[in-house]
Amino acid sequence: LDRPVTGGTPGMPNSSLVGNLGPTFDAFGHLPVVPGALQPVRVEVAASDPDGVAGVTLWYAVDGGPPAAVPMEPQPRSRWAAMVPGQPAAAIVQFWVEGVDGAGATSSFPAAGPASRALWKVEDGNASTTGLHDLRTLLTPADADWLHDEVNVMSNDPVPATVVYDEREAFHDVGVRLKGSERGRSMPLRTGFSIHFDPGRPFRGVHRSVLVDRSEGVNFGQREMLINQVMCRAGSVSAEYDDLVQVIPPRAEHVGPAELQMWRFGDGMLDAQFEGGSDGHLYDY
């Protein structure tokens, strides 16, 4: 292995040292997760710093407009809170916080500040009424336009987004891209999504990525999931682990029931059905 000629700098400051990072943050979130039309939203975050926290500011922007600042008020247990005024139905609100410590150093959370994607969407009437799990994928208007632009539909580069599960659990700064063939990605009846979660906070506690499949191969529907279960019951050598959801993406033509593909043909599925199933290499076309 290559190694530094000098042997490195064990126990000594290195090139990554930052004298003062500014406040660090935890317990970042908002309630209600899916607010009603014109309903105010409370944003909270815990902030700490060895030099003390001099102040925290909440920034928010509605539907890609200019950001507005709201001073956050100190709360018990090192928390800070602020209220965002209610917005019209279906509005997309991006938000982040910026803190300053007693020595004047600043930091943001999520760390990318205005380039991050902590979002909420005001109630739009698209939640399931049939008992399906709700899966909202929230993008800013500009990001949604980029994702579906004809030049970009075949890109596998994840676009930063927020996912809301069952209208009560928000996953900020996840990565979303389109999935499917070169024919299916641009067809509203077949457009699917690939979602990649923060490894430190996987979906349902275990999944670092999921696929949202809205097609049956050539048409809209979830019949493939039924066929898969029939094959499994009849003795097929393997079966995927899937669920049904009501997917609520940025565009209205993609809202509706979908197949949520979780383990698919990955290590979890292989280990559950075959001894040493994930040993060796797996290639999935």
Side-chain angles (χ1 to χ4, degrees), residues 56-61 66-72 82-85 96-98:
V56 181
T57 300
L58 169 65
W59 292 88
Y60 72 95
V70 179
M72 302 188 79
M83 299 296 295
V84 174
W96 67 95
V97 297
E98 183 180 82

Side-chain angles (χ1 to χ4, degrees), residues 7 11 31 44 54-55 65 74 107 115 127 139 154 172 185 192 211 216 222 247:
L31 287 174
E44 282 198 16
S107 58
L139 286 78
M154 289 306 298
H172 301 128
R185 289 195 185 193
L211 298 179
E216 292 178 341
Q222 294 79 53
V247 62

Side-chain angles (χ1 to χ4, degrees), residues 56-234:
V56 181
T57 300
L58 169 65
W59 292 88
Y60 72 95
V62 181
D63 289 331
V70 179
M72 302 188 79
E73 298 295 332
Q75 309 291 314
R77 303 191 306 278
S78 302
R79 290 177 175 264
W80 298 74
M83 299 296 295
V84 174
Q87 304 297 325
I92 292 284
V93 179
Q94 177 189 5
F95 66 110
W96 67 95
V97 297
E98 183 180 82
V100 57
D101 69 13
T106 62
S107 58
S108 299
F109 194 88
S116 63
R117 292 296 183 264
L119 308 164
W120 75 72
K121 186 176 185 180
V122 180
E123 175 59 53
D124 53 11
N126 286 323
S128 172
T129 59
T130 62
L132 293 179
H133 295 291
D134 289 304
L135 190 76
R136 292 183 177 269
T137 56
L138 308 182
L139 286 78
T140 64
D143 288 344
D145 289 343
W146 187 96
L147 182 69
H148 292 283
D149 189 283
E150 183 179 1
V151 176
N152 302 322
V153 292
M154 289 306 298
S155 171
N156 284 344
D157 189 24
V159 176
T162 287
V163 164
V164 176
Y165 182 59
D166 277 345
E167 307 290 81
R168 63 176 181 267
E169 187 177 10
F171 298 83
H172 301 128
D173 257 354
V174 305
V176 175
R177 66 169 176 84
L178 300 183
K179 70 170 287 286
S181 70
E182 74 282 359
R183 300 177 301 279
R185 289 195 185 193
S186 59
M187 295 175 59
L189 287 178
R190 297 176 58 190
T191 303
F193 303 91
S194 176
I195 306 173
H196 298 263
F197 294 87
D198 184 334
R201 193 175 172 221
F203 180 72
R204 291 188 177 178
V206 291
H207 301 290
R208 294 180 60 173
S209 67
V210 298
L211 298 179
V212 179
D213 195 319
R214 301 176 54 254
S215 76
E216 292 178 341
V218 294
N219 297 303
F220 169 77
Q222 294 79 53
R223 184 169 51 185
E224 282 183 314
M225 182 174 176
L226 174 61
I227 295 172
N228 186 57
Q229 294 303 314
V230 171
M231 291 169 58
C232 179
R233 183 68 175 176

